[in-house]
Amino acid sequence: MEIEEVFSSKSRMKILKLINQLGQLNVSDVARRLNLNFSSTSEHLKVLESEGILQERTYGRVRMYRFNEGSAKAKAVQNLIDAWEQGK
């Protein structure tokens, strides 16, 4: 997937900002906090995971998502979000 496709979704960007702020969330929490439906939130998270930006950890039936600490893409996205937020 090209970078334009990853960043072309406002919902995906909101998800990245939220996880950057809070560290780790499950699908339901992300959907509730951003007022998105569960299935579209789950699909956005899968895209971000497939690109190596987020990683999923499963605890029983709960899937938690956080930034992939071993990914250069994830670090770059976090740095971009942090720089953008500091410039407000």
Side-chain angles (χ1 to χ4, degrees):
M1 182 176 279
E2 297 295 321
I3 189 170
E4 300 87 9
E5 294 173 272
V6 174
F7 293 127
S8 67
S9 168
K10 190 173 185 177
S11 295
R12 275 197 287 273
M13 292 306 298
K14 286 181 177 183
I15 289 168
L16 290 169
K17 280 179 57 179
L18 183 64
I19 292 176
N20 190 55
Q21 289 172 343
L22 301 177
Q24 164 172 293
L25 290 168
N26 67 35
V27 182
S28 297
D29 285 339
V30 173
R32 183 178 42 80
R33 289 173 184 262
L34 297 178
N35 200 28
L36 301 171
N37 74 43
F38 182 89
S39 62
S40 67
T41 301
S42 184
E43 287 302 314
H44 287 307
L45 289 166
K46 285 178 188 175
V47 167
L48 294 168
E49 182 185 15
S50 72
E51 288 300 313
I53 299 168
L54 297 181
Q55 70 181 116
E56 173 192 316
R57 291 241 169 121
T58 304
Y59 301 96
R61 293 178 38 190
V62 178
R63 294 179 296 162
M64 300 294 288
Y65 288 88
R66 66 180 185 179
F67 274 93
N68 183 350
E69 295 174 5
S71 166
K73 285 182 185 179
K75 290 289 183 197
V77 170
Q78 285 180 296
N79 290 337
L80 174 64
I81 292 169
D82 291 340
W84 199 273
E85 293 298 311
Q86 289 174 6
K88 283 187 172 180

PDB file of all heavy atoms in Angstrom, residues 11-36:
ATOM      1  N   SER A  11     -10.300   9.013   9.237  1.00  0.00           N
ATOM      2  CA  SER A  11     -10.507   8.101  10.372  1.00  0.00           C
ATOM      3  C   SER A  11      -9.207   7.440  10.798  1.00  0.00           C
ATOM      4  O   SER A  11      -8.925   7.318  11.994  1.00  0.00           O
ATOM      5  CB  SER A  11     -11.542   7.038  10.029  1.00  0.00           C
ATOM      6  OG  SER A  11     -12.800   7.631   9.821  1.00  0.00           O
ATOM      7  N   ARG A  12      -8.393   7.005   9.841  1.00  0.00           N
ATOM      8  CA  ARG A  12      -7.111   6.381  10.188  1.00  0.00           C
ATOM      9  C   ARG A  12      -6.205   7.374  10.904  1.00  0.00           C
ATOM     10  O   ARG A  12      -5.519   7.025  11.861  1.00  0.00           O
ATOM     11  CB  ARG A  12      -6.413   5.817   8.948  1.00  0.00           C
ATOM     12  CG  ARG A  12      -6.873   4.426   8.607  1.00  0.00           C
ATOM     13  CD  ARG A  12      -5.927   3.710   7.666  1.00  0.00           C
ATOM     14  NE  ARG A  12      -5.960   4.195   6.313  1.00  0.00           N
ATOM     15  CZ  ARG A  12      -6.796   3.766   5.378  1.00  0.00           C
ATOM     16  NH1 ARG A  12      -7.692   2.849   5.649  1.00  0.00           N
ATOM     17  NH2 ARG A  12      -6.742   4.253   4.163  1.00  0.00           N
ATOM     18  N   MET A  13      -6.208   8.610  10.455  1.00  0.00           N
ATOM     19  CA  MET A  13      -5.377   9.622  11.108  1.00  0.00           C
ATOM     20  C   MET A  13      -5.867   9.881  12.538  1.00  0.00           C
ATOM     21  O   MET A  13      -5.074  10.030  13.457  1.00  0.00           O
ATOM     22  CB  MET A  13      -5.358  10.923  10.298  1.00  0.00           C
ATOM     23  CG  MET A  13      -4.629  10.787   8.974  1.00  0.00           C
ATOM     24  SD  MET A  13      -2.945  10.139   9.116  1.00  0.00           S
ATOM     25  CE  MET A  13      -2.165  11.403  10.100  1.00  0.00           C
ATOM     26  N   LYS A  14      -7.179   9.905  12.721  1.00  0.00           N
ATOM     27  CA  LYS A  14      -7.726  10.086  14.073  1.00  0.00           C
ATOM     28  C   LYS A  14      -7.349   8.911  14.972  1.00  0.00           C
ATOM     29  O   LYS A  14      -7.032   9.097  16.145  1.00  0.00           O
ATOM     30  CB  LYS A  14      -9.241  10.239  14.023  1.00  0.00           C
ATOM     31  CG  LYS A  14      -9.693  11.572  13.497  1.00  0.00           C
ATOM     32  CD  LYS A  14     -11.200  11.669  13.507  1.00  0.00           C
ATOM     33  CE  LYS A  14     -11.671  13.027  13.048  1.00  0.00           C
ATOM     34  NZ  LYS A  14     -13.134  13.159  13.127  1.00  0.00           N
ATOM     35  N   ILE A  15      -7.384   7.709  14.423  1.00  0.00           N
ATOM     36  CA  ILE A  15      -6.997   6.513  15.179  1.00  0.00           C
ATOM     37  C   ILE A  15      -5.534   6.621  15.596  1.00  0.00           C
ATOM     38  O   ILE A  15      -5.184   6.366  16.757  1.00  0.00           O
ATOM     39  CB  ILE A  15      -7.247   5.233  14.353  1.00  0.00           C
ATOM     40  CG1 ILE A  15      -8.751   4.975  14.222  1.00  0.00           C
ATOM     41  CG2 ILE A  15      -6.530   4.032  14.971  1.00  0.00           C
ATOM     42  CD1 ILE A  15      -9.123   3.913  13.203  1.00  0.00           C
ATOM     43  N   LEU A  16      -4.672   7.013  14.682  1.00  0.00           N
ATOM     44  CA  LEU A  16      -3.251   7.141  14.994  1.00  0.00           C
ATOM     45  C   LEU A  16      -3.013   8.195  16.068  1.00  0.00           C
ATOM     46  O   LEU A  16      -2.229   7.978  16.996  1.00  0.00           O
ATOM     47  CB  LEU A  16      -2.455   7.475  13.727  1.00  0.00           C
ATOM     48  CG  LEU A  16      -2.348   6.344  12.710  1.00  0.00           C
ATOM     49  CD1 LEU A  16      -1.782   6.860  11.399  1.00  0.00           C
ATOM     50  CD2 LEU A  16      -1.513   5.197  13.257  1.00  0.00           C
ATOM     51  N   LYS A  17      -3.685   9.322  15.972  1.00  0.00           N
ATOM     52  CA  LYS A  17      -3.550  10.362  16.994  1.00  0.00           C
ATOM     53  C   LYS A  17      -4.003   9.860  18.358  1.00  0.00           C
ATOM     54  O   LYS A  17      -3.337  10.091  19.370  1.00  0.00           O
ATOM     55  CB  LYS A  17      -4.367  11.603  16.604  1.00  0.00           C
ATOM     56  CG  LYS A  17      -3.703  12.501  15.611  1.00  0.00           C
ATOM     57  CD  LYS A  17      -4.553  13.696  15.246  1.00  0.00           C
ATOM     58  CE  LYS A  17      -4.946  14.516  16.440  1.00  0.00           C
ATOM     59  NZ  LYS A  17      -5.755  15.704  16.099  1.00  0.00           N
ATOM     60  N   LEU A  18      -5.131   9.161  18.390  1.00  0.00           N
ATOM     61  CA  LEU A  18      -5.683   8.660  19.640  1.00  0.00           C
ATOM     62  C   LEU A  18      -4.743   7.647  20.295  1.00  0.00           C
ATOM     63  O   LEU A  18      -4.462   7.726  21.493  1.00  0.00           O
ATOM     64  CB  LEU A  18      -7.058   8.034  19.399  1.00  0.00           C
ATOM     65  CG  LEU A  18      -7.796   7.518  20.620  1.00  0.00           C
ATOM     66  CD1 LEU A  18      -8.142   8.667  21.568  1.00  0.00           C
ATOM     67  CD2 LEU A  18      -9.062   6.792  20.189  1.00  0.00           C
ATOM     68  N   ILE A  19      -4.254   6.713  19.520  1.00  0.00           N
ATOM     69  CA  ILE A  19      -3.347   5.698  20.068  1.00  0.00           C
ATOM     70  C   ILE A  19      -2.025   6.338  20.483  1.00  0.00           C
ATOM     71  O   ILE A  19      -1.433   5.949  21.490  1.00  0.00           O
ATOM     72  CB  ILE A  19      -3.166   4.525  19.085  1.00  0.00           C
ATOM     73  CG1 ILE A  19      -4.492   3.753  18.984  1.00  0.00           C
ATOM     74  CG2 ILE A  19      -2.032   3.604  19.533  1.00  0.00           C
ATOM     75  CD1 ILE A  19      -4.499   2.632  17.980  1.00  0.00           C
ATOM     76  N   ASN A  20      -1.587   7.346  19.753  1.00  0.00           N
ATOM     77  CA  ASN A  20      -0.378   8.063  20.150  1.00  0.00           C
ATOM     78  C   ASN A  20      -0.568   8.738  21.510  1.00  0.00           C
ATOM     79  O   ASN A  20       0.323   8.731  22.344  1.00  0.00           O
ATOM     80  CB  ASN A  20       0.006   9.089  19.085  1.00  0.00           C
ATOM     81  CG  ASN A  20       1.369   9.681  19.323  1.00  0.00           C
ATOM     82  OD1 ASN A  20       2.355   8.962  19.437  1.00  0.00           O
ATOM     83  ND2 ASN A  20       1.443  10.996  19.404  1.00  0.00           N
ATOM     84  N   GLN A  21      -1.745   9.287  21.747  1.00  0.00           N
ATOM     85  CA  GLN A  21      -2.032   9.968  23.012  1.00  0.00           C
ATOM     86  C   GLN A  21      -2.180   8.994  24.174  1.00  0.00           C
ATOM     87  O   GLN A  21      -1.682   9.237  25.266  1.00  0.00           O
ATOM     88  CB  GLN A  21      -3.331  10.768  22.909  1.00  0.00           C
ATOM     89  CG  GLN A  21      -3.249  11.986  22.049  1.00  0.00           C
ATOM     90  CD  GLN A  21      -4.630  12.622  21.849  1.00  0.00           C
ATOM     91  OE1 GLN A  21      -5.654  11.988  22.091  1.00  0.00           O
ATOM     92  NE2 GLN A  21      -4.635  13.844  21.386  1.00  0.00           N
ATOM     93  N   LEU A  22      -2.894   7.887  23.932  1.00  0.00           N
ATOM     94  CA  LEU A  22      -3.262   6.989  25.028  1.00  0.00           C
ATOM     95  C   LEU A  22      -2.404   5.733  25.144  1.00  0.00           C
ATOM     96  O   LEU A  22      -2.505   5.005  26.123  1.00  0.00           O
ATOM     97  CB  LEU A  22      -4.738   6.615  24.906  1.00  0.00           C
ATOM     98  CG  LEU A  22      -5.701   7.802  24.945  1.00  0.00           C
ATOM     99  CD1 LEU A  22      -7.128   7.345  24.756  1.00  0.00           C
ATOM    100  CD2 LEU A  22      -5.546   8.590  26.237  1.00  0.00           C
ATOM    101  N   GLY A  23      -1.610   5.448  24.143  1.00  0.00           N
ATOM    102  CA  GLY A  23      -0.686   4.322  24.211  1.00  0.00           C
ATOM    103  C   GLY A  23      -1.204   3.016  23.650  1.00  0.00           C
ATOM    104  O   GLY A  23      -0.591   2.438  22.777  1.00  0.00           O
ATOM    105  N   GLN A  24      -2.366   2.581  24.114  1.00  0.00           N
ATOM    106  CA  GLN A  24      -2.888   1.276  23.693  1.00  0.00           C
ATOM    107  C   GLN A  24      -4.388   1.252  23.936  1.00  0.00           C
ATOM    108  O   GLN A  24      -4.851   1.674  24.982  1.00  0.00           O
ATOM    109  CB  GLN A  24      -2.163   0.218  24.510  1.00  0.00           C
ATOM    110  CG  GLN A  24      -2.754  -1.141  24.531  1.00  0.00           C
ATOM    111  CD  GLN A  24      -1.834  -2.142  25.207  1.00  0.00           C
ATOM    112  OE1 GLN A  24      -0.780  -2.442  24.683  1.00  0.00           O
ATOM    113  NE2 GLN A  24      -2.228  -2.666  26.348  1.00  0.00           N
ATOM    114  N   LEU A  25      -5.113   0.776  22.941  1.00  0.00           N
ATOM    115  CA  LEU A  25      -6.576   0.698  23.046  1.00  0.00           C
ATOM    116  C   LEU A  25      -7.078  -0.529  22.312  1.00  0.00           C
ATOM    117  O   LEU A  25      -6.443  -1.014  21.380  1.00  0.00           O
ATOM    118  CB  LEU A  25      -7.240   1.929  22.422  1.00  0.00           C
ATOM    119  CG  LEU A  25      -7.093   3.252  23.145  1.00  0.00           C
ATOM    120  CD1 LEU A  25      -7.537   4.383  22.253  1.00  0.00           C
ATOM    121  CD2 LEU A  25      -7.899   3.245  24.428  1.00  0.00           C
ATOM    122  N   ASN A  26      -8.268  -0.990  22.712  1.00  0.00           N
ATOM    123  CA  ASN A  26      -8.905  -2.067  21.960  1.00  0.00           C
ATOM    124  C   ASN A  26      -9.843  -1.463  20.902  1.00  0.00           C
ATOM    125  O   ASN A  26     -10.092  -0.260  20.906  1.00  0.00           O
ATOM    126  CB  ASN A  26      -9.615  -3.065  22.873  1.00  0.00           C
ATOM    127  CG  ASN A  26     -10.816  -2.489  23.580  1.00  0.00           C
ATOM    128  OD1 ASN A  26     -11.544  -1.661  23.040  1.00  0.00           O
ATOM    129  ND2 ASN A  26     -11.053  -2.933  24.796  1.00  0.00           N
ATOM    130  N   VAL A  27     -10.326  -2.295  20.019  1.00  0.00           N
ATOM    131  CA  VAL A  27     -11.154  -1.842  18.903  1.00  0.00           C
ATOM    132  C   VAL A  27     -12.384  -1.096  19.400  1.00  0.00           C
ATOM    133  O   VAL A  27     -12.720  -0.014  18.886  1.00  0.00           O
ATOM    134  CB  VAL A  27     -11.593  -3.034  18.013  1.00  0.00           C
ATOM    135  CG1 VAL A  27     -12.415  -2.553  16.842  1.00  0.00           C
ATOM    136  CG2 VAL A  27     -10.401  -3.826  17.533  1.00  0.00           C
ATOM    137  N   SER A  28     -13.052  -1.633  20.402  1.00  0.00           N
ATOM    138  CA  SER A  28     -14.272  -1.009  20.918  1.00  0.00           C
ATOM    139  C   SER A  28     -14.007   0.379  21.486  1.00  0.00           C
ATOM    140  O   SER A  28     -14.784   1.310  21.261  1.00  0.00           O
ATOM    141  CB  SER A  28     -14.915  -1.880  21.996  1.00  0.00           C
ATOM    142  OG  SER A  28     -15.310  -3.107  21.454  1.00  0.00           O
ATOM    143  N   ASP A  29     -12.915   0.526  22.226  1.00  0.00           N
ATOM    144  CA  ASP A  29     -12.574   1.829  22.793  1.00  0.00           C
ATOM    145  C   ASP A  29     -12.280   2.854  21.700  1.00  0.00           C
ATOM    146  O   ASP A  29     -12.705   4.002  21.789  1.00  0.00           O
ATOM    147  CB  ASP A  29     -11.373   1.726  23.735  1.00  0.00           C
ATOM    148  CG  ASP A  29     -11.717   1.105  25.070  1.00  0.00           C
ATOM    149  OD1 ASP A  29     -12.910   1.118  25.443  1.00  0.00           O
ATOM    150  OD2 ASP A  29     -10.796   0.609  25.739  1.00  0.00           O
ATOM    151  N   VAL A  30     -11.544   2.442  20.689  1.00  0.00           N
ATOM    152  CA  VAL A  30     -11.243   3.351  19.577  1.00  0.00           C
ATOM    153  C   VAL A  30     -12.538   3.780  18.900  1.00  0.00           C
ATOM    154  O   VAL A  30     -12.769   4.977  18.679  1.00  0.00           O
ATOM    155  CB  VAL A  30     -10.291   2.689  18.552  1.00  0.00           C
ATOM    156  CG1 VAL A  30     -10.129   3.566  17.313  1.00  0.00           C
ATOM    157  CG2 VAL A  30      -8.933   2.396  19.174  1.00  0.00           C
ATOM    158  N   ALA A  31     -13.392   2.822  18.589  1.00  0.00           N
ATOM    159  CA  ALA A  31     -14.659   3.122  17.913  1.00  0.00           C
ATOM    160  C   ALA A  31     -15.519   4.066  18.748  1.00  0.00           C
ATOM    161  O   ALA A  31     -16.067   5.048  18.229  1.00  0.00           O
ATOM    162  CB  ALA A  31     -15.421   1.834  17.607  1.00  0.00           C
ATOM    163  N   ARG A  32     -15.621   3.797  20.027  1.00  0.00           N
ATOM    164  CA  ARG A  32     -16.449   4.620  20.913  1.00  0.00           C
ATOM    165  C   ARG A  32     -15.894   6.032  21.036  1.00  0.00           C
ATOM    166  O   ARG A  32     -16.621   7.001  20.922  1.00  0.00           O
ATOM    167  CB  ARG A  32     -16.545   3.959  22.286  1.00  0.00           C
ATOM    168  CG  ARG A  32     -17.451   4.687  23.264  1.00  0.00           C
ATOM    169  CD  ARG A  32     -17.555   3.971  24.610  1.00  0.00           C
ATOM    170  NE  ARG A  32     -16.305   3.440  25.122  1.00  0.00           N
ATOM    171  CZ  ARG A  32     -15.366   4.166  25.753  1.00  0.00           C
ATOM    172  NH1 ARG A  32     -15.540   5.452  25.929  1.00  0.00           N
ATOM    173  NH2 ARG A  32     -14.269   3.586  26.209  1.00  0.00           N
ATOM    174  N   ARG A  33     -14.613   6.160  21.263  1.00  0.00           N
ATOM    175  CA  ARG A  33     -13.996   7.475  21.463  1.00  0.00           C
ATOM    176  C   ARG A  33     -14.045   8.339  20.207  1.00  0.00           C
ATOM    177  O   ARG A  33     -14.109   9.571  20.303  1.00  0.00           O
ATOM    178  CB  ARG A  33     -12.553   7.333  21.925  1.00  0.00           C
ATOM    179  CG  ARG A  33     -12.427   6.828  23.347  1.00  0.00           C
ATOM    180  CD  ARG A  33     -10.970   6.541  23.679  1.00  0.00           C
ATOM    181  NE  ARG A  33     -10.817   5.977  24.994  1.00  0.00           N
ATOM    182  CZ  ARG A  33     -10.489   6.677  26.066  1.00  0.00           C
ATOM    183  NH1 ARG A  33     -10.303   7.971  25.994  1.00  0.00           N
ATOM    184  NH2 ARG A  33     -10.357   6.071  27.233  1.00  0.00           N
ATOM    185  N   LEU A  34     -14.002   7.703  19.037  1.00  0.00           N
ATOM    186  CA  LEU A  34     -14.007   8.459  17.784  1.00  0.00           C
ATOM    187  C   LEU A  34     -15.371   8.476  17.100  1.00  0.00           C
ATOM    188  O   LEU A  34     -15.515   9.027  16.007  1.00  0.00           O
ATOM    189  CB  LEU A  34     -12.949   7.895  16.826  1.00  0.00           C
ATOM    190  CG  LEU A  34     -11.507   8.003  17.326  1.00  0.00           C
ATOM    191  CD1 LEU A  34     -10.557   7.363  16.332  1.00  0.00           C
ATOM    192  CD2 LEU A  34     -11.121   9.451  17.593  1.00  0.00           C
ATOM    193  N   ASN A  35     -16.353   7.845  17.744  1.00  0.00           N
ATOM    194  CA  ASN A  35     -17.706   7.788  17.192  1.00  0.00           C
ATOM    195  C   ASN A  35     -17.730   7.157  15.792  1.00  0.00           C
ATOM    196  O   ASN A  35     -18.338   7.683  14.864  1.00  0.00           O
ATOM    197  CB  ASN A  35     -18.345   9.185  17.181  1.00  0.00           C
ATOM    198  CG  ASN A  35     -19.843   9.113  17.081  1.00  0.00           C
ATOM    199  OD1 ASN A  35     -20.456   8.140  17.515  1.00  0.00           O
ATOM    200  ND2 ASN A  35     -20.440  10.130  16.504  1.00  0.00           N
ATOM    201  N   LEU A  36     -17.038   6.020  15.681  1.00  0.00           N
ATOM    202  CA  LEU A  36     -16.995   5.246  14.437  1.00  0.00           C
ATOM    203  C   LEU A  36     -17.668   3.905  14.688  1.00  0.00           C
ATOM    204  O   LEU A  36     -17.758   3.462  15.830  1.00  0.00           O
ATOM    205  CB  LEU A  36     -15.543   4.997  14.016  1.00  0.00           C
ATOM    206  CG  LEU A  36     -14.662   6.216  13.763  1.00  0.00           C
ATOM    207  CD1 LEU A  36     -13.224   5.786  13.586  1.00  0.00           C
ATOM    208  CD2 LEU A  36     -15.148   6.971  12.540  1.00  0.00           C
TER     209      LEU A  36
END
